[in-house]
């Protein structure tokens, strides 16, 4: 692997270069960041070690210019006392890691080897990209809307690397499903996907659950036991509701992420683990950091890549496909056909779904189980009127909060779909109009097309688009 060192300290350049050359790496060094940028543009480096504080250009500016010029090498920032904030800021903008000066030789080699492994995996995955990608997880993630298609494409790119990912979004938006999709699209797909809910396990048991314990570590520990990190070795671990992780365990998790090593409760020695960590939360971690409830260094380590899943009310184009997906699943479980009438689908598409995909899935499943006919209609979906106007909480102003007295009609109230974005408004109105035309023509598509003033071919296209076949 070719490494470029950019640092104005001649002694550090020499000692670091010797250390890395002894470890088998090809090393080039530059004292001036401008010359470092020129060298990086002219030669293919896989890794750049860059000082945070340098004359003429600091490390963050170097990172920004290097990325803006198309540079793809991994960057490790080197920070002395007092410059760690700048190093963390660089990580937020895409740096791979940082080393705190003065650093020990083993710290340098460990960090570089981790970067080398990531680069190796990146090259391997590059050869597999033709077979990896969003199409591979269509059975897991329904993505008809533009926001979800873009998110899934971004997830497919992230999946190629072992970098930590933070999934954010309201409860029920499908964070665990997206985590499973990332795992399936990753080079680790042949290994295990493991998920643990940090809020569901009592604090006094959580450390043992995560890291394991040795015999006699506490009352009742009759034998050695592996933790989640060890069982997830070489696979993917989802830490759900990471915002509820106790502060005492946050430091231990940070050490695992930085060193790739866990220590069982009561053990004297650590154990190496190779785990890709995905964290998920419905809470705003930034506020928890401000309140001192969540470590800022752990937050930055987890938030290397942030994938935010929008609530269902902001991606209504997905509702029809989700309903069809859940109906097919219900039909398989029940052993009988399950379908939805067009007017029921319109109603479901206009509902705000405060519980997001989880609420929609439960509504379809309940209707399928209790429905007396094979075709589910309006009476089969007793939805809460409070959320029926599309804003999720009923005040009619589209902000998702309030007193629940909005009716969704007229000036000053939320538009159809709970958003003022034009495209969803037009599509929602078009869907409703098509359904009414079909009802007026008693199901005759030719007559409905005439009523709508469109060709029969256009109507068939719209029926497929809005899942109204």
């Amino acid at each position: 692997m070719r490494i470029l060192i950019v640092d104005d300290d001649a002694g550090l350049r020499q000692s670091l270069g010797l250390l890395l050359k002894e470890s088998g790496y090809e090393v080039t060094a530059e004292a001036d960041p401008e010359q470092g940028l020129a060298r990086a543009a002219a030669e293919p480096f896989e890794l750049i070690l860059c000082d945070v504080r340098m004359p003429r250009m600091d490390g963050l500016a170097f990172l920004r210019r290097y990325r803006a010029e198309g540079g793809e090498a991994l960057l490790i920032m080197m920070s002395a006392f007092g410059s760690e904030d700048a190093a963390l800021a660089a990580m937020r903008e895409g740096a791979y890691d940082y080393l705190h000066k003065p650093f020990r030789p083993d710290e340098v080699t460990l960090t570089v080897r981790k970067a080398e492994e990531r680069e190796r995996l990146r090259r391997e995955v590059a050869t597999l990209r033709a077979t990896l990608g969003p199409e591979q997880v269509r059975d897991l993630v329904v993505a008809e809307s533009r926001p979800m298609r873009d998110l899934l494409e971004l997830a497919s790119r992230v999946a190629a690397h072992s970098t930590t990912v933070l999934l954010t979004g309201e409860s029920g938006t499908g964070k665990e499903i997206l985590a499973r999709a990332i795992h399936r699209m990753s080079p680790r797909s042949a290994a295990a996907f493991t998920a643990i809910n940090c809020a569901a396990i009592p604090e006094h048991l959580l450390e043992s659950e995560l890291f394991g314990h040795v015999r006699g570590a506490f009352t009742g520990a009759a034998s050695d036991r592996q933790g989640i990190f060890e069982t997830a070795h070489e696979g993917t671990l989802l830490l759900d509701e990471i915002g509820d992780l106790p502060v005492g365990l946050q430091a231990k998790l940070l050490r695992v992420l930085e060193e790739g090593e866990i220590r069982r409760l009561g053990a004297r020695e650590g154990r190496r683990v190779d785990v890709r960590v995905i964290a998920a939360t419905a809470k705003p971690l930034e506020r928890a950091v401000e309140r001192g409830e969540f470590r800022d260094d752990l937050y930055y380590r987890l938030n290397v890549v942030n994938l935010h899943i929008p609530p269902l009310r902001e991606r209504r184009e997905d509702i029809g496909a989700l309903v069809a997906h859940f109906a097919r699943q219900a039909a398989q479980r029940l052993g009988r056909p399950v379908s939805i009438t067009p007017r029921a689908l319109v109603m479901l598409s206009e509902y705000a779904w405060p519980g997001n995909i989880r609420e929609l899935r439960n509504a379809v499943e309940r209707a399928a189980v209790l429905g007396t006919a094979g075709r589910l209609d309006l009476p089969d979906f007793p939805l809460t009127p409070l959320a029926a106007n599309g804003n999720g909480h009923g005040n009619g102003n589209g902000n998702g909060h309030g007193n629940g007295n909005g009716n969704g009609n007229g000036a000053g109230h939320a538009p159809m779909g709970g958003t003022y974005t034009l495209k969803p408004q037009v599509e929602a109105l078009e869907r409703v109009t098509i359904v009414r035309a079909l009802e007026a023509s008693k199901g005759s598509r030719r007559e409905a097309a005439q009523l709508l003033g469109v060709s029969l071919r256009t109507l068939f296209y719209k029926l497929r688009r809005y899942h109204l076949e």
Side-chain angles (χ1 to χ4, degrees):
M1 184 167 77
R2 298 198 63 200
I3 299 176
L4 172 65
I5 300 172
V6 182
D7 197 305
D8 60 313
D9 186 332
L12 186 139
R13 291 198 308 275
Q14 183 178 14
S15 60
L16 193 55
L18 287 173
L19 172 65
L20 294 172
K21 286 177 181 178
E22 289 176 356
S23 299
Y25 298 108
E26 184 179 345
V27 181
T28 302
E30 291 288 349
D32 181 76
E34 290 282 0
Q35 293 179 1
L37 282 171
R39 179 66 72 89
E43 301 177 29
F45 293 100
E46 288 83 30
L47 178 65
I48 299 176
L49 293 166
C50 181
D51 191 22
V52 169
R53 289 188 176 178
M54 297 180 290
R56 297 180 59 191
M57 183 190 307
D58 62 22
L60 185 58
F62 181 95
L63 169 66
R64 288 170 175 164
R65 281 190 53 182
Y66 178 69
R67 293 296 187 222
E69 293 171 7
E72 297 182 350
L74 297 178
L75 267 84
I76 295 177
M77 313 305 294
M78 298 181 292
S79 66
F81 178 77
S83 62
E84 289 174 313
D85 289 344
L88 292 171
M91 289 186 65
R92 288 197 294 272
E93 297 206 24
Y96 170 69
D97 207 339
Y98 78 95
L99 289 165
H100 182 271
K101 298 178 183 179
F103 33 70
R104 302 189 309 272
D106 59 335
E107 287 183 284
V108 176
T109 53
L110 175 62
T111 303
V112 171
R113 283 171 184 163
K114 286 168 60 179
E116 183 180 24
E117 176 65 13
R118 170 175 167 169
E119 181 62 17
R120 182 186 66 79
L121 289 173
R122 187 193 68 80
R123 290 195 299 266
E124 288 180 0
V125 169
T127 64
L128 300 174
R129 287 304 299 270
T131 57
L132 296 175
E135 292 300 324
Q136 190 182 8
V137 294
R138 288 298 183 189
D139 60 323
L140 276 178
V141 183
V142 174
E144 296 289 333
S145 63
R146 171 56 61 183
M148 285 303 295
R149 291 201 302 270
D150 291 344
L151 181 65
L152 197 55
E153 174 59 31
L154 180 58
S156 73
R157 299 203 303 271
V158 171
H161 310 288
S162 289
T163 187
T164 308
V165 177
L166 179 63
L167 305 180
T168 58
E170 295 179 6
S171 178
T173 49
K175 294 186 287 295
E176 181 173 343
I177 295 297
L178 184 58
R180 290 182 181 275
I182 292 172
H183 172 71
R184 183 183 292 186
M185 293 186 288
S186 78
R188 299 172 179 265
S189 59
F193 173 87
T194 309
I196 182 172
N197 189 320
C198 298
I201 300 174
E203 182 175 346
H204 66 283
L205 297 177
L206 188 53
E207 181 175 358
S208 173
E209 192 70 24
L210 287 172
F211 308 124
H213 62 256
V214 298
R215 180 181 179 182
F218 52 85
T219 303
S223 61
D224 290 0
R225 180 177 181 274
Q226 284 189 336
I228 294 292
F229 269 91
E230 286 185 79
T231 59
H233 181 64
E234 296 186 341
T236 302
L237 173 60
L238 170 65
L239 298 176
D240 202 3
E241 301 300 343
I242 191 67
D244 291 309
L245 188 69
V247 175
L249 287 181
Q250 292 176 20
K252 296 183 179 182
L253 174 59
L254 179 62
R255 186 177 68 246
V256 174
L257 295 176
E258 291 184 334
E259 300 177 4
E261 183 176 282
I262 62 99
R263 181 175 297 176
R264 291 182 179 180
L265 193 61
R268 295 183 179 180
E269 297 181 354
R271 295 168 179 261
R272 300 291 301 169
V273 290
D274 174 20
V275 178
R276 198 264 180 83
V277 172
I278 300 176
T281 180
K283 296 181 177 180
L285 287 187
E286 300 91 337
R287 297 179 187 174
V289 170
E290 292 171 359
R291 294 192 299 266
E293 298 171 358
F294 201 86
R295 293 178 61 107
D296 57 351
D297 48 3
L298 177 59
Y299 171 68
Y300 297 136
R301 174 64 76 179
L302 294 172
N303 198 32
V304 176
V305 176
N306 176 236
L307 299 180
H308 179 73
I309 307 178
L312 196 52
R313 62 183 174 274
E314 293 180 7
R315 47 185 174 107
R316 294 180 179 274
E317 300 95 318
D318 293 326
I319 293 178
L322 284 166
V323 169
H325 177 69
F326 296 141
R328 286 193 298 270
Q329 290 183 339
Q332 291 175 356
R333 285 194 297 270
L334 298 174
R336 55 181 169 81
V338 176
S339 61
I340 317 291
T341 65
R343 65 176 186 173
L345 185 58
V346 169
M347 184 268 292
L348 296 175
S349 298
E350 293 176 358
Y351 182 70
W353 300 110
N356 293 296
I357 295 175
R358 183 182 295 116
E359 183 186 6
L360 175 60
R361 182 185 63 236
N362 292 343
V364 174
E365 184 171 354
R366 177 187 183 279
V369 170
L370 299 180
T372 56
R375 197 164 173 80
L376 304 178
D377 204 353
L378 294 177
D380 296 305
F381 296 96
L383 301 178
T384 305
L386 184 63
N389 292 331
N391 60 10
H393 298 276
N395 69 353
N397 61 12
N399 63 8
H401 303 280
N403 56 18
N405 60 6
N407 61 13
N409 300 316
H413 295 281
M416 182 180 296
T419 173
Y420 288 92
T421 307
L422 184 59
K423 184 178 178 181
Q425 291 297 298
V426 172
E427 291 179 345
L429 182 59
E430 190 173 56
R431 184 188 292 113
V432 171
T433 305
I434 290 172
V435 170
R436 290 174 178 169
L438 287 169
E439 291 176 346
S441 64
K442 294 183 172 54
S444 170
R445 297 182 179 184
R446 187 174 300 279
E447 292 182 21
Q450 292 175 350
L451 291 173
L452 294 167
V454 299
S455 67
L456 187 58
R457 181 178 180 181
T458 298
L459 177 58
F460 279 125
Y461 168 77
K462 298 291 186 182
L463 291 174
R464 286 194 302 273
R465 176 183 175 87
Y466 297 129
H467 304 279
L468 297 173
E469 298 99 326

